[in-house]
Amino acid sequence: MSIRFYNTLTKRIEEFIPLEEGKIKMYMCGPTVYDYFHIGNARSFVMIDIINRYFRYKGFDVKFVMNLTDIDDKIINKANADGISPQDVAKKYSEAFFEDLRKLKIKPADVYPRATENISGMIELIQKLIENGYAYTVNGDVFFDVTNYKQYGKLSGKKLEELIDGARVEVLEQKKNPADFALWKSAKSGEPYWESPWGKGRPGWHIECSVMSMKNLGETFDIHAGGNDLIFPHHENEIAQSECATGKPFARYWIHFGFLNIDNQKMSKSLGNFFTAREILENYSAEALRLLYCQTLYSAPLNFNEELLKNSEQAINRIKNSYHQLKTTVISDIEQEEFDTSSYFRKFEEAMDNNFNTPEALAVIFEFVKDVNSFISKHDKLNKSNQIKILEVYDKLASGVLGIIDLTESYAVREELVDSLIKLIIDIRAKLRAEKRFDLSDKIRDELKKLNIELEDKKEVTTYKITKQ
Ligand SMILES: [Zn+2]
């Protein structure tokens, strides 16, 4: 079945048809690297990760690009406040960004372009806009003239006349129209700058994303994503710049992520309810946070509080316990009714195909966990074919698409646990042997052997090996 999702550009749920069959070119606005990112940003990063994983699960060849804005007013302000260079601020928080993505178990994008590495492309695009009559220069600044682009407002639904009237109070002397926006800003003293045909300066924020997306994905590409707060003016301006420069449609589908509130209040530093992702991950698992995000549709407002996060952690433990039980259940060659997993795959895909409905997809996973638990307790043992089928659901859906269980990690934890338990038994057996209670110590050795754990008594120590996994 095809994937359908809400396109902000057309304001309806549409069937997704990529430009080139089987391939997806997708861009997401990345961070401005001046601080650690907060759990509202993390929500967008996790949800685009899940969408990216789902496209790949469905067999698409995805090229996913996420930019880093490493020159911006916020970075310069932070540098001045901390008494370090803007480059050092950008370096520190770029590294933190990648570290936090890893902690959130986010699959890396294919390309992470940086604004400062694409300045010449930005200058070229601005020149094209001036040539095409969509931009003008004033004393070293370059502005985009919104009145020349009749489709301005098509993404956000804002009307050009209203924007011009509404913004009249903050009209800048040098701008022709209040809604015009900066493509290039002339350098102020002490700020980083690049040489350009209009003098020393730096790019405006919006032009960065137009250049970095089109350079990596082509002038027209499939999907552009970002937070809700970026629809206007950032994404509206990206469309205006790109389409006026190339004369072609820019991104064909737009995906936007909803806000995150804390206890139904806006998250803000001044209210003291502000959390960075790395703060949360000190006390909770990435899987719990990801599950909490999955409980709400990506585009809807999400309410966050610690109680909900604790509940998520418990829900994660239910999945982990079920998985461990599965791995430790005795596997034998017995005849057994088939545990049919096709309905879970079908229902999971139906949910995800329908506007990436992760709350429903999650419900399918929990229904599956419940059914697996009762199947195992009913039969006590599993045959190999059922075990493989069940593992496949964990592997492809819970781990592969949603990322709410880390099988490599769970496996390592289990290995460690097994190792500690065997060593504990070896210890007890050594004590029994010291007391010459050989009947019991031999029984332990024989019983372990039946579980494919072979003990080897050497002079001082007893070692073990697992003969069959
Ligand atoms: Zn952007």
Side-chain angles (χ1 to χ4, degrees):
M1 214 186 87
S2 61
I3 302 175
R4 303 171 68 81
F5 59 86
Y6 184 82
N7 183 358
T8 315
L9 190 60
T10 55
K11 288 152 198 71
R12 57 191 167 87
I13 291 186
E14 288 184 323
E15 183 183 350
F16 173 62
I17 303 166
L19 211 52
E20 207 180 324
E21 202 185 331
K23 293 190 175 174
I24 297 179
K25 293 189 163 62
M26 181 162 80
Y27 184 86
M28 164 92 172
C29 288
T32 299
V33 282
Y34 73 104
D35 206 346
Y36 300 115
F37 64 79
H38 58 67
I39 53 173
N41 305 132
R43 179 195 186 189
S44 303
F45 298 151
V46 166
M47 294 320 284
I48 196 70
D49 177 49
I50 289 172
I51 291 171
N52 182 27
R53 285 163 177 245
Y54 186 62
F55 283 144
R56 288 167 202 249
Y57 162 85
K58 291 279 272 190
F60 286 102
D61 175 4
V62 185
K63 183 170 183 188
F64 176 40
V65 179
M66 190 194 263
N67 74 297
L68 270 74
T69 295
D70 58 352
I71 180 68
D72 183 76
D73 287 341
K74 288 173 179 162
I75 295 173
I76 294 169
N77 293 342
K78 177 84 173 177
N80 292 338
D82 291 359
I84 53 173
S85 70
Q87 289 82 350
D88 285 343
V89 170
K91 184 171 183 291
K92 176 180 173 183
Y93 292 104
S94 304
E95 283 167 9
F97 167 71
F98 289 116
E99 196 182 311
D100 291 350
L101 287 194
R102 276 194 299 276
K103 285 186 191 164
L104 282 165
K105 314 268 173 95
I106 285 172
K107 302 253 185 246
D110 299 287
V111 191
Y112 286 107
R114 288 159 200 260
T116 56
E117 291 166 1
N118 288 277
I119 304 286
S120 61
M122 296 175 205
I123 292 172
E124 268 171 46
L125 199 78
I126 296 169
Q127 272 178 315
K128 214 180 265 179
L129 287 168
I130 296 174
E131 279 164 27
N132 293 359
Y134 291 105
Y136 56 94
T137 57
V138 186
N139 303 326
D141 289 328
V142 184
F143 293 101
F144 184 91
D145 185 345
V146 293
T147 56
N148 282 351
Y149 178 53
K150 298 300 169 217
Q151 295 184 55
Y152 193 79
K154 68 178 173 182
L155 180 75
S156 60
K158 292 188 190 290
K159 299 254 183 305
L160 192 53
E161 312 81 63
E162 288 165 18
L163 284 171
I164 292 173
D165 290 345
R168 210 167 282 287
V169 274
E170 45 178 300
V171 64
L172 284 172
E173 286 295 307
Q174 66 267 41
K175 284 206 261 182
K176 280 195 204 169
N177 313 289
D180 292 351
F181 56 90
L183 298 167
W184 187 260
K185 298 172 174 182
S186 60
K188 297 193 191 88
S189 77
E191 286 183 1
Y193 64 82
W194 286 263
E195 297 290 347
S196 81
W198 320 287
K200 293 181 168 77
R202 61 188 167 93
W205 172 36
H206 315 302
I207 198 79
E208 296 179 4
C209 281
S210 286
V211 168
M212 289 186 273
S213 57
M214 291 196 289
K215 181 186 166 189
N216 288 290
L217 301 173
E219 291 174 342
T220 302
F221 57 93
D222 295 302
I223 298 172
H224 193 314
N228 252 342
D229 52 335
L230 299 182
I231 296 177
F232 188 85
H234 185 53
H235 290 163
E236 193 71 67
N237 292 352
E238 273 188 54
I239 294 175
Q241 297 160 161
S242 308
E243 298 195 346
C244 290
T246 66
K248 294 175 190 161
F250 182 50
R252 301 165 61 240
Y253 297 83
W254 288 78
I255 295 176
H256 287 99
F257 302 103
F259 289 115
L260 179 145
N261 296 313
I262 311 279
D263 277 327
N264 298 311
Q265 269 192 315
K266 196 171 182 245
M267 177 167 69
S268 80
K269 280 185 176 158
S270 59
L271 286 172
N273 63 358
F274 185 91
F275 301 102
T276 62
R278 57 172 54 199
E279 277 170 338
I280 295 296
L281 294 175
E282 276 172 23
N283 298 313
Y284 297 94
S285 67
E287 286 75 21
L289 191 56
R290 293 179 71 104
L291 182 131
L292 188 147
Y293 291 146
C294 284
Q295 285 168 333
T296 303
L297 192 69
Y298 70 92
S299 52
L302 182 145
N303 192 40
F304 179 95
N305 62 43
E306 216 161 336
E307 201 54 42
L308 292 170
L309 195 51
K310 281 181 185 151
N311 294 342
S312 298
E313 198 77 85
Q314 281 172 3
I316 289 295
N317 284 335
R318 282 211 301 281
I319 303 176
K320 274 191 192 167
N321 288 340
S322 171
Y323 179 76
H324 286 158
Q325 200 192 355
L326 175 71
K327 295 291 284 187
T328 48
T329 297
V330 176
I331 305 300
S332 68
D333 302 330
I334 46 169
E335 285 286 318
Q336 191 168 59
E337 62 175 311
E338 187 193 352
F339 188 93
D340 185 8
T341 53
S342 59
S343 69
Y344 305 104
F345 280 103
R346 181 177 48 77
K347 283 189 272 183
F348 184 93
E349 288 183 29
E350 272 170 13
M352 290 299 285
D353 286 345
N354 177 21
N355 200 22
F356 310 115
N357 193 325
T358 51
E360 275 181 25
L362 259 188
V364 175
I365 298 294
F366 281 105
E367 184 195 340
F368 163 77
V369 166
K370 195 177 98 238
D371 295 347
V372 169
N373 288 349
S374 52
F375 188 85
I376 291 177
S377 62
K378 180 179 159 197
H379 291 279
D380 206 30
K381 290 177 185 170
L382 278 179
N383 68 22
K384 195 74 193 163
S385 119
N386 276 337
Q387 192 205 29
I388 289 170
K389 280 188 171 179
I390 294 169
L391 282 176
E392 198 189 9
V393 177
Y394 278 110
D395 182 35
K396 292 194 170 160
L397 305 184
S399 168
V401 177
L402 300 180
I404 53 171
I405 181 167
D406 185 336
L407 300 186
T408 50
E409 193 180 68
S410 302
Y411 198 70
V413 168
R414 180 179 152 263
E415 299 265 279
E416 224 171 271
L417 185 69
V418 168
D419 182 64
S420 313
L421 282 174
I422 298 175
K423 284 178 178 157
L424 176 71
I425 295 170
I426 289 175
D427 253 15
I428 294 170
R429 181 169 166 270
K431 290 204 172 73
L432 292 171
R433 276 158 62 94
E435 292 170 15
K436 303 209 181 311
R437 292 167 70 183
F438 295 113
D439 53 333
L440 270 180
S441 71
D442 288 350
K443 185 175 166 56
I444 289 175
R445 188 196 57 214
D446 295 345
E447 290 298 319
L448 284 177
K449 193 167 184 185
K450 284 187 201 159
L451 299 173
N452 300 312
I453 300 165
E454 246 172 58
L455 300 188
E456 197 179 337
D457 293 316
K458 294 177 181 160
K459 262 188 188 163
E460 305 265 309
V461 288
T462 301
T463 57
Y464 77 91
K465 65 175 179 205
I466 297 176
T467 52
K468 201 170 125 193
Q469 283 280 14

